[in-house]
Amino acid sequence: DYELCEEWGHLYPVPREDLINLHREHLLHLLEMGDMEKALQLLQRIEDPGVCLAISEQSLDQHPSLAASHFLADYLTAHFYASLTTARRNEIQALYIGSKVLLTLPELSRVNYFHLSSRPLLMLEQLLMNMKVDWVAEAVQTLHQLLAGQEIGFNVGDIDNLLSKYAEKALNFPFTLKEKRS
């Protein structure tokens, strides 16, 4: 049906907003089906860069699945980096990095942290509070690799400060230890 509508749009004038809505729904459908190749082909078929940007951004704002969010954030960064405002660019890069961190977690646990995908530092803090030390180690390693030379509202120093804060709290004993005497 989407392809038929797309052909119709080539034959008859369709309002820009309707065309954007059609392509957005088609793109989200392809992404939810896991067909990234067809999704990329769809985006490449769109001749107007403004329409393509609108479709990609609106699709990302629909909060699709993890794989779809990752794909869209990557696509927007690769193709429309200069067209985005600094705040939007940081938001999209944070979502890209957050989705990469989520992919390091065990598959069954990702759903518990998906709502934090656009806030990787907060996701890291949540993992620390949940005592998921092994997951934190892998997430930190991924963050260090991804943040090399990038500024998205936080940096490697912020990660180190967060880790230091929680390490200090882990060593803070609210009572004094008494010696046992025999």
Side-chain angles (χ1 to χ4, degrees), residues 61-125:
D61 291 339
Q62 295 282 322
H63 304 291
S65 68
L66 175 61
S69 294
H70 187 72
F71 172 86
L72 289 166
D74 187 35
Y75 184 82
L76 281 164
T77 303
H79 293 88
F80 297 106
Y81 189 82
S83 303
L84 301 168
T85 65
T86 304
R88 183 69 169 157
R89 193 179 307 143
N90 287 347
E91 179 185 325
I92 290 171
Q93 286 180 318
L95 182 63
Y96 176 79
I97 288 174
S99 62
K100 275 286 220 194
V101 170
L102 270 174
L103 290 170
T104 67
L105 303 180
E107 192 169 340
L108 296 174
S109 299
R110 292 176 189 161
V111 69
N112 298 329
Y113 300 95
F114 181 74
H115 66 286
L116 298 172
S117 60
S118 62
R119 304 194 53 206
L121 203 56
L122 191 56
M123 185 188 318
L124 187 62
E125 187 168 6

Side-chain angles (χ1 to χ4, degrees), residues 1 28 41-42 60 75 89 99 116 141 157-158:
D1 291 345
L28 287 170
Q41 290 170 4
L42 170 67
L60 186 62
Y75 184 82
R89 193 179 307 143
S99 62
L116 298 172
Q141 183 179 4
D158 294 325

Side-chain angles (χ1 to χ4, degrees), residues 15-34:
R16 186 175 192 268
E17 283 306 310
D18 291 341
L19 194 60
I20 289 172
N21 290 338
L22 166 71
H23 286 306
R24 183 190 68 234
E25 293 303 318
H26 188 191
L27 178 63
L28 287 170
H29 172 73
L30 291 171
L31 291 173
E32 294 306 320
M33 298 299 290

